[in-house]
Structure formats: structure tokens, C-alpha cells
Amino acid sequence: MASKEQPRGSIPSMQTSGDALTGETVVVVLGASGDLAKKKTFPALFNLFRQGHLPGDLHIIGYARTKMDDDEFHKRATQYLGKAPEGNEKEFNEAVDKFKSISSYVAGPYDEDSGFQELLKHVEDIENQRSNGGEAKRNRLFYMALPPSVFTVVAKGLKKNCYSKEGHNRIIIEKPFGKDLESCREMMTALKAEWHENETYRIDHYLGKEMIKNMLVLRFGNVVLDAALNKNTVSNVQITFKEPFGTEGRGGYFDEFGIIRDVCQNHLMQTLSVLAMERPVSFSAEDIRDEKVKVLRCIPPITQKDVLLGQYVGKDDKPGYLDDDTVPKGSTCPTFAAMVLWVNNPRWQGVPFIMKAGKALNEAKVEVRVQFKDVPQGIFTEVPRNELVLRIQPSEAVYLKLNSKLPGFVSRAIPTELDMTYKDRFTDADIPAAYEALILDAFKGDHSNFVRDDELDVAWKIFTPILHWIDGKDGEKPKPEPYEYGSRGPKEIDAFTSKYNYERTDDGIYSWPQTNVAANL
């Protein structure tokens, strides 16, 4: 029986974190005038602040090259906070006003000490006012919502000019972390020369998504699932990322990176590592990341024969990729990629992991689909395969496709689902956005859901050869297959996945009863 100290089902090692930031804390958001800060960083900080998860003595400073006063900054920082919850309009609006009161702005360059010295002066003025000149800890968290071209110079400028000697310092860095193995190593070497690994938080926001975090519990908290996920029972695994829109005027940025660097090498690779890793000693940060690195080291570089590339073309009133004025003329940059990875260890040897990602497709969806092997022949006629599906977004869900007898006098097996759709099962759950979860982890000092430097290194080893081939560094660039805007991808996709023993089937529908979250705490 569970004790009062540890409720039944608790996960002590997952609740353990490092040194939490408490008391006097200043958050500096660099790139404060950009889209990432406005649409993700500030809304996440506001929601955490409103819900009381952040230190009481908190101040937020925006820093960017754009010149503006505090009123203009407040307007931009609160632009994407969303609507007030029905019935809580007064409380929400009061929280917005208070959020503005603890926020201010400094304009300055990213490559000159003078800018960071002006930032330091503003930080120290705030700290001195609130501590009355006392000796309280002065914690500083720097969030770099910046393009990768300025990561290292900004990190160096912050360490030289704005590093606190009386408290904890943390720096949060957004992807992409380089463009290949060599550039990643150059960036990491430059960062590590200034910031210790325990001060550095490399964000891949997929690690903050509820379903990715739940994979650990699903895998290792259920004997039946962990026992079934291996080469003896699994035919193939698909990890799919689909967006229903194209580059929409951002083709210039996208063309520099492509779909593989933008999605596969980071988001989907993190998903794969959590799904395929072995049981860690605990759910502490280093134990989890040790197992992720171990499984990634078992994956050889992707080969050309295991890749299908595509680029969307216009259909009806939807423009093609090359119709985007910001895209270089004649670009062969893939907007769709399907590739197969092999995990050469005792659990997964011979099981293809099919990774698919694309823009301008027929729907918005990110999911993991584990397809099991065929039932032995002799009793059934073409009975469908079992599948375990983990839907990451939209509408988080876990469902297991099973075969069941059709009720009544008919002797026939039909596919059904054991379905745990979050919004139906957990009726009052308030699932935090990925950025909220990760920023809170950084405040807690918990590295579990951030990317370690050796993870990056081994992941780039897997992808760099195929990226150099696509970039034309090893000869002529491959030409991607065209596919229509709003389709499922290149027409070759079904033939490609069938080579790796995937069988496409139709989904069934099943509804579970509702579960009240609060009643089960």
C-alpha cells in the first residue's frame, strides 16, 4: 500500500530536480522582438507566472536590436496571450497588468560589449531596488530566442558582461544546433568555452510535449507494453510529422535548412530515442539521457537507398514551393522526406523505423505508429495487424488496435480500438504547452527534457552523410519527387513504406468512459 508521503503511482526520481531558482530572479529574453519570443516564450512565461509557478521576486527583460519603449514592448509581449478564460476575465486581465509591471525592455546590439553592459546596468538597477542593496542571491536566466548565426557571440557577450556572481546562471538555447556534425561541434565547443553543461539548456520543444513525456511511463510502467516492444513482435515503427501548410513566405529561411534539419534530425529523432531506449536506472536527468545516447549510438548513418524526397507543387489556388518568392529559383530543397533508420541492438535488430515529415500535406498530425507482426496463418483469413498508436498532436491519444469477434451470429474478426484519447479520458486536464513545461524545468534545474551535448553529436553523425548528399557536397544534388499541395506526399510513398513491410489499414472508432483527474489525485 502506498504511504502518505508517496501516493500510489508516484515517480520520485521524475519529481527530483536540481537547484531551483527561488527568490530574486531576472529572466532576459534575447530576440524579444521576434516571432518566437512573441508567440511562444512570452505566452509561456505569462501562463507560468499567472499560475504561480515562477519565483515571487521575478522580473522579465526583453533585449533586441529593435528600438522601442516599454509600452510598445508590453504590447508586443502580450500580443499572443490569448483570450481570457470565460468567467475569469477579471483575474486574467489583472494578471496581464501585473505581468507588464514586472517586464521591461532594453535595446542593443548582439555583437558589442556596450549593449550587454547597458543590459547589465538595467538588470542590476532592478536587483538593487528589490533587494535594497542586500546580499540576497541574484539568479539570472537568459533565453536565446535568436537565429543560430548569433548564438555563440551572444553567449560569449552574456558570460563576459552579464554573468551573476551572487546566484545561479542559466542559458536556454533554441534549435537548430548547427547544420551538420562539423558545424554543431564548432558551435558546442564555442558555447562550452563560456558556459558549463549544467548551466546550459538546449530546447527541443518536442521533449516538452505531454505525449513524449508520457512515453517513459507507458514504456516502463506497463509490463505488457515493454515486453511487446521488440524485434520478436514488432514488424515496423512509423514516426510521422505532417503539416497542412507550406512555407507561406518563409521559404528563404526554410530553404537554408530543409525538412530534415527542421524536423527529422531533432524533433523526430528525440521521439525515436525515447521510444526505443532501454529502461533507465531512474527517471533522473542523466540516467534518462544516458539511455537515449546509448540507443542513438546503435543507429548507423542513414543510406541513400533508404530515403525518399519530395517537394510540393501548386494545386488549385495553393502555390507550390518554387512559387514562393523567398525561395531561390530552381531550388531542390526537399519539403518532404521519408527515411528508414535501423537500431542495431538486441531489442530492435532488423526492425525498420520509418521516419516521415512533410509540409503542405493533407492534414496536421504527429504520431508514432508501432505495427506488429502478422498473426500466424491457418485460423484467420487476412486478419489485420495489431497497432499501437501514440498521437502526439493534435488531441493527444494512445490507442491499441486489436481484433475482436463481431457480436452476434456472424463468425468474423474485425479491428477495434482500446482508446485513451486525453480530452475524453481526462476531462478536466489542463495540459501545459511544451514551452511552459520546458521553461519551468529550467527554473527547477531539471535537465531531463533538454538535449545533452553528446546526444547532439551522435544524432548529427546519423544524418550528416545524407544531408551532404542532398546539399550536393558529394556530387549532383538529388531531385525531389513532386507532390500536390494537400496530398499525402509523393505518389511513391506507399511503395516506399511497403518495402519495409508496412501494411496500410483503415482506422476504426472506439470511445472510452470519462475519468475525472482531480478525483484521482
Side-chain angles (χ1 to χ4, degrees), residues 37-38 78-79 107 109-110 121 131 167 169 179 195 222 235 264 268 323 331 366 371 389 402 405 408 415 432 491 503:
K38 290 188 294 185
T78 58
Q79 184 178 355
Y110 295 132
K121 182 178 181 299
S131 64
N169 295 270
K179 297 183 69 175
W195 293 82
N222 297 287
S235 170
C264 302
L268 302 192
D323 298 325
S331 171
V366 182
Q371 189 171 77
V389 181
L402 300 172
K405 178 186 174 296
K491 62 180 183 300
E503 289 187 3

Side-chain angles (χ1 to χ4, degrees), residues 313-325:
V313 298
K315 183 183 180 184
D316 300 329
D317 61 338
K318 297 293 186 181
Y321 179 67
L322 296 179
D323 298 325
D324 186 332
D325 292 337

Side-chain angles (χ1 to χ4, degrees), residues 206 241-246 254 259 262-263 357-366 393 483 485-487:
Y206 264 57
F241 174 98
K242 302 173 79 173
E243 284 185 339
F245 49 84
F254 180 86
I259 194 70
D262 195 40
V263 176
K359 301 183 77 68
L361 297 177
N362 60 327
E363 61 182 331
K365 182 173 71 174
V366 182
Q393 67 182 44
Y483 63 95
Y485 196 119
S487 67

Side-chain angles (χ1 to χ4, degrees), residues 9 93 269:
N93 292 331
M269 201 62 180

Side-chain angles (χ1 to χ4, degrees), residues 62-82:
Y63 183 88
R65 289 179 292 222
T66 305
K67 293 187 180 300
M68 57 179 150
D69 59 21
D70 280 356
D71 288 341
E72 176 61 24
F73 169 64
H74 291 154
K75 181 180 178 181
R76 296 192 185 195
T78 58
Q79 184 178 355
Y80 292 94
L81 299 186

Side-chain angles (χ1 to χ4, degrees), residues 111-129:
D111 56 354
E112 297 177 15
D113 285 343
S114 60
F116 295 114
Q117 289 163 3
E118 187 66 26
L119 173 62
L120 175 64
K121 182 178 181 299
H122 187 65
V123 170
E124 290 182 335
D125 285 346
I126 292 166
E127 291 172 339
N128 290 334
Q129 288 172 13

Side-chain angles (χ1 to χ4, degrees), residues 235-239 260 264 268-269 272 298-309 336-344 348 350-357 462-463 466 469 493-502:
S235 170
N236 59 82
V237 179
Q238 284 204 70
I239 304 174
I260 296 177
C264 302
L268 302 192
M269 201 62 180
L272 185 153
C298 294
I299 303 174
I302 301 165
T303 61
Q304 296 179 20
K305 67 180 179 63
D306 286 333
V307 175
L308 172 65
L309 303 175
F336 175 96
M339 63 200 76
V340 178
L341 296 87
W342 305 89
V343 182
N344 295 330
W348 296 110
V351 177
F353 283 74
I354 306 167
M355 193 178 284
K356 300 187 301 182
I462 295 167
F463 282 88
I466 208 74
W469 169 59
I493 186 59
D494 287 337
F496 178 83
T497 55
S498 67
K499 283 196 307 182
Y500 302 97
N501 207 28
Y502 173 69

